[in-house]
């Protein structure tokens, strides 16, 4: 008797795309909420510090201490790993489906975002590691005091630390390319596959990516120029 193994639905192309979609939504929702929280720096030191401390108290008294933040970090870590794994598997299958290269292969007409997803992902990953060591653990922050989150942000993007702002900007721009490409793909999957629909999808994806990037970049540049101090 021959036993035939059946591939798990989640490992099929459709399943992997579903994993990318679900994890992408989780990460985008986090980015939106994170951006909104960052913008509270413009309300002043007292308000921003109160907001930062409130994040640590979410779930009390049901959850002790900062458990909510650790649960959130765990979910985000799983989402990132699953997103990368699904994307890698799909990319490998796509290459395997075209093992023979054409002698005169035409120039790929993909978007710049699609062609730079790999190096953009590396920049984002490196930045996330730095960001955690900087504003989460405080090891790389000039102040590094968890009780003074506003002071940590101001010290982090001070004019003499322009290289941090530059690195932050590169990471956010790379994230913007990812978001534009991902949002465009999502809109297409929802049925925007006519020429007119694709134009609308491209515009909506671009507006969304630019708005989110601007929301993240306005904080470091406000500190750099002295608007926030």
């Amino acid at each position: 008797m021959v036993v035939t193994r059946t591939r798990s639905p989640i490992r099929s192309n459709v399943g992997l795309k579903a994993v990318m979609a679900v994890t992408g939504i989780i990460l985008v929702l986090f980015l939106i909420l994170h951006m909104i929280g960052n913008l509270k720096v413009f309300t002043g030191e007292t308000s921003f510090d109160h907001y930062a401390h409130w994040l640590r108290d979410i779930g009390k008294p049901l959850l002790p201490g900062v458990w909510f933040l650790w649960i959130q970090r765990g979910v985000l870590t799983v989402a990132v790993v699953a997103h990368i794994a699904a994307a890698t598997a799909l990319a490998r299958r796509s290459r395997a489906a075209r093992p023979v290269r054409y002698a005169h292969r035409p120039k790929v007409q993909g978007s710049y975002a699609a062609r730079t997803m790999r190096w953009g992902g590396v920049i984002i990953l490196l930045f996330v590691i730095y960001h955690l060591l900087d504003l989460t653990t405080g090891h790389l922050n000039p102040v590094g005091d968890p009780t003074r989150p506003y002071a940590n942000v101001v010290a982090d993007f001070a004019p003499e630390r322009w290289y941090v702002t530059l690195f932050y900007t590169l990471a956010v721009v790379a994230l913007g390319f990812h978001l534009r490409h991902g949002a465009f793909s999502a809109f297409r999957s929802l049925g925007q596959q006519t020429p007119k629909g694709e134009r609308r999808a491209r515009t909506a994806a671009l507006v969304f990516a630019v708005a989110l990037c601007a929301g993240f970049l306005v904080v470091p540049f406000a500190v750099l120029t002295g608007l926030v101090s």
Side-chain angles (χ1 to χ4, degrees):
M1 180 177 177
V2 179
V3 178
T4 303
R5 287 187 176 183
T6 58
R7 176 182 290 179
S8 171
I10 201 171
R11 297 180 63 185
S12 66
N13 284 354
V14 174
L16 290 173
K17 289 180 180 179
V19 169
M20 287 196 68
V22 172
T23 54
I25 290 172
I26 292 173
L27 295 173
V28 167
L29 288 176
F30 167 76
L31 287 172
I32 292 173
L33 294 175
H34 188 37
M35 179 199 70
I36 294 173
N38 286 353
L39 293 177
K40 287 189 71 66
V41 75
F42 292 102
T43 62
E45 182 173 2
T46 301
S47 178
F48 185 78
D49 285 353
H50 176 75
Y51 161 73
H53 295 312
W54 170 77
L55 288 176
R56 294 173 175 270
D57 294 334
I58 294 178
K60 284 186 176 180
L62 181 63
L63 297 175
V66 294
W67 276 34
F68 173 80
L69 287 180
W70 283 109
I71 292 173
Q72 180 191 79
R73 290 163 185 163
V75 171
L76 292 174
T77 300
V78 171
V80 168
V81 172
H83 197 77
I84 294 174
T88 302
L90 287 171
R92 288 178 175 175
R93 289 179 186 179
S94 178
R95 286 195 299 269
R98 299 189 301 272
V100 180
R101 294 185 177 183
Y102 295 102
H104 301 286
R105 187 176 181 180
K107 184 179 180 180
V108 178
Q109 297 300 318
S111 68
Y112 183 75
R115 296 197 300 270
T116 57
M117 291 292 277
R118 182 176 299 175
W119 64 258
V122 172
I123 292 176
I124 294 171
L125 178 60
L126 291 175
F127 173 74
V128 168
I129 295 173
Y130 176 85
H131 195 57
L132 290 173
L133 293 173
D134 181 17
L135 292 176
T136 300
T137 67
H139 287 86
L140 300 180
N141 189 274
V143 175
D145 186 349
T147 66
R148 303 172 60 201
Y150 183 92
N152 292 336
V153 172
V154 172
D156 197 33
F157 299 113
E160 61 272 16
R161 286 169 57 86
W162 58 267
Y163 49 89
V164 174
T165 301
L166 177 60
F167 185 32
Y168 188 94
T169 302
L170 289 175
V172 170
V173 170
L175 175 64
F177 281 119
H178 268 66
L179 290 172
R180 190 187 72 169
H181 181 68
F184 171 67
S185 299
F187 290 140
R188 286 198 65 196
S189 299
L190 292 175
Q192 299 290 344
Q193 297 184 5
T194 63
K196 186 176 181 180
E198 285 201 2
R199 287 195 297 271
R200 290 177 175 174
R202 289 185 187 280
T203 301
L206 179 61
V207 170
F208 172 70
V210 169
L212 200 65
C213 287
F216 275 108
L217 290 177
V218 69
V219 173
F221 279 97
V223 176
L224 182 67
T225 58
L227 184 61
V228 171
S229 61

